[in-house]
Amino acid sequence: MTGQDPQTTEIDTSKPHPARMYDWFLGGKDNYPVDEQMARQLLKLDARGGDMARVNRAFMHRATRWLAERGVRQFLDIGTGIPTEPNLHQIAQQTARDARVVYCDNDPIVLAHAAALLRSTPEGATEYIQADARKPETILAEAGKILDFEQPIALSLLALLHFIDDEDGAAELVDKLVEQLPSGSYLVLSHTTGDFNPEGAAQARAMYKERGMTLRPRSRAELTAFFDGLELVDPGVSLSADWRPELGEVIDVPGDEPIPGYAGVARKP
């Protein structure tokens, strides 16, 4: 495992962290009162926070399975979050036991639980990188120790880019990462949106800003722009819940309103 020693990395419990809030929404226990407090405030804006997290995770499972079934054997997952089984490598290795997976996150609590991400099949490999997503050069250098950048790689940025604002270089980050991927690689994205509740999205963004964090919901068109130059696979950029539901793990959510998140997968020519 690359990166810092979990014994020497301090976990900041004075303010909420997206990875720990996501864990709380999924019913996990690796979070703190400050994370639960903010998560509950977000639920006042949209009571389906847990459903959003589960829908996003189900998309990850379907997309990973779809890629593995089409011969992808290498995965780079940036913004991994706290391990919740089945993890990405478990899904990939169910189809391809020789799949190689590199995870990356910047929250020390993820590092503390990274052993759960390293339980690879004997034929495959998993590795964890402790690094900030906004340092693509560091991530790519470390990932290159495990992944072969001469062969296709699936790059996953799941529920990550909405924590990086435009002026902080969200588009540039994607471009730098994709530029280093070989032909035949894939980009996998999921992202929250304010398309269905602009007022609520604005309130959530203000709530994050008050706590020194970024939330940048994007429209379907804005998310689609991240795929410029790539070949979107069917059904293109869709609601996360609507991306190839025939692959399974469809989350049943109450009501008729869509879960406000988009997702897509695209191939690098």
Side-chain angles (χ1 to χ4, degrees), residues 18 34 50 57 88 91 105 113 120 140 148 157 169 188 229 249 266:
V34 67
R57 189 157 186 83
L88 188 150
I91 297 296
D105 205 287
H113 292 273
S120 173
L140 291 167
D148 179 1
L157 306 175
V188 185
E249 299 186 50

Side-chain angles (χ1 to χ4, degrees), residues 194-233:
D195 282 357
F196 306 102
N197 183 5
E199 182 179 347
Q203 291 175 323
R205 186 171 188 181
M207 192 182 299
Y208 272 74
K209 186 176 181 180
E210 287 172 2
R211 291 158 177 79
M213 300 188 296
T214 296
L215 181 67
R216 172 61 166 88
R218 290 184 171 90
S219 67
R220 185 175 183 272
E222 288 175 317
L223 181 60
T224 302
F226 286 118
F227 291 109
D228 284 354
L230 306 177
E231 302 168 348
L232 276 163
V233 303

Side-chain angles (χ1 to χ4, degrees), residues 38-49 52 197 199-208 215:
M38 183 167 177
R40 290 190 180 278
Q41 289 178 330
L42 289 170
L43 288 178
K44 294 178 181 179
L45 301 179
D46 192 322
R48 301 170 302 164
M52 294 179 198
N197 183 5
E199 182 179 347
Q203 291 175 323
R205 186 171 188 181
M207 192 182 299
Y208 272 74
L215 181 67

Side-chain angles (χ1 to χ4, degrees), residues 22 35 47 54 71 76 84 137 159 161 164 177 181 197 229 243 250 253 262:
Y22 190 74
D35 306 304
R54 286 187 288 273
L76 175 56
T84 303
E137 295 85 0
L161 291 174
I164 305 175
L177 290 167
L181 301 179
N197 183 5
W243 195 91
V250 176
V253 297
Y262 293 117

Side-chain angles (χ1 to χ4, degrees), residues 148-183:
D148 179 1
F149 275 75
E150 299 295 321
Q151 300 297 323
I153 296 170
L155 169 65
S156 297
L157 306 175
L158 301 170
L160 172 69
L161 291 174
H162 49 238
F163 298 123
I164 305 175
D165 223 328
D166 297 341
E167 55 264 35
D168 292 329
E172 291 80 2
L173 167 65
V174 175
D175 289 345
K176 286 180 180 178
L177 290 167
V178 172
E179 182 182 10
Q180 298 303 314
L181 301 179
S183 175

Side-chain angles (χ1 to χ4, degrees), residues 14-202:
S14 66
K15 64 180 182 180
H17 190 284
R20 302 195 306 257
M21 290 165 57
Y22 190 74
D23 176 73
W24 186 86
F25 280 127
L26 287 172
K29 301 182 183 303
D30 295 308
N31 52 77
Y32 295 91
V34 67
D35 306 304
E36 179 179 352
Q37 181 185 35
M38 183 167 177
R40 290 190 180 278
Q41 289 178 330
L42 289 170
L43 288 178
K44 294 178 181 179
L45 301 179
D46 192 322
R48 301 170 302 164
D51 295 326
M52 294 179 198
R54 286 187 288 273
V55 164
N56 180 72
R57 189 157 186 83
F59 163 72
M60 181 272 282
H61 290 169
R62 296 196 303 274
T64 300
R65 188 177 299 115
W66 185 89
L67 290 160
E69 289 174 350
R70 277 149 188 81
V72 177
R73 295 295 178 266
Q74 302 190 109
F75 297 82
L76 175 56
D77 181 53
I78 302 177
T80 297
I82 296 166
T84 303
E85 292 194 352
N87 294 301
L88 188 150
H89 73 278
Q90 293 168 310
I91 297 296
Q93 291 176 349
Q94 284 173 0
T95 299
R97 289 183 61 82
D98 60 340
R100 303 176 72 82
V101 179
V102 172
Y103 294 104
C104 176
D105 205 287
N106 73 331
D107 186 359
I109 200 170
V110 181
L111 174 62
H113 292 273
L117 302 173
L118 303 178
R119 296 171 186 159
S120 173
T121 58
E123 301 91 337
T126 64
E127 182 58 274
Y128 177 76
I129 299 169
Q130 178 78 5
D132 193 297
R134 289 163 292 192
K135 296 182 178 179
E137 295 85 0
T138 299
I139 295 171
L140 291 167
E142 294 292 340
K145 299 175 182 178
I146 300 295
L147 306 179
D148 179 1
F149 275 75
E150 299 295 321
Q151 300 297 323
I153 296 170
L155 169 65
S156 297
L157 306 175
L158 301 170
L160 172 69
L161 291 174
H162 49 238
F163 298 123
I164 305 175
D165 223 328
D166 297 341
E167 55 264 35
D168 292 329
E172 291 80 2
L173 167 65
V174 175
D175 289 345
K176 286 180 180 178
L177 290 167
V178 172
E179 182 182 10
Q180 298 303 314
L181 301 179
S183 175
S185 294
Y186 288 86
L187 175 63
V188 185
L189 299 180
S190 65
H191 201 293
T192 193
T193 184
D195 282 357
F196 306 102
N197 183 5
E199 182 179 347

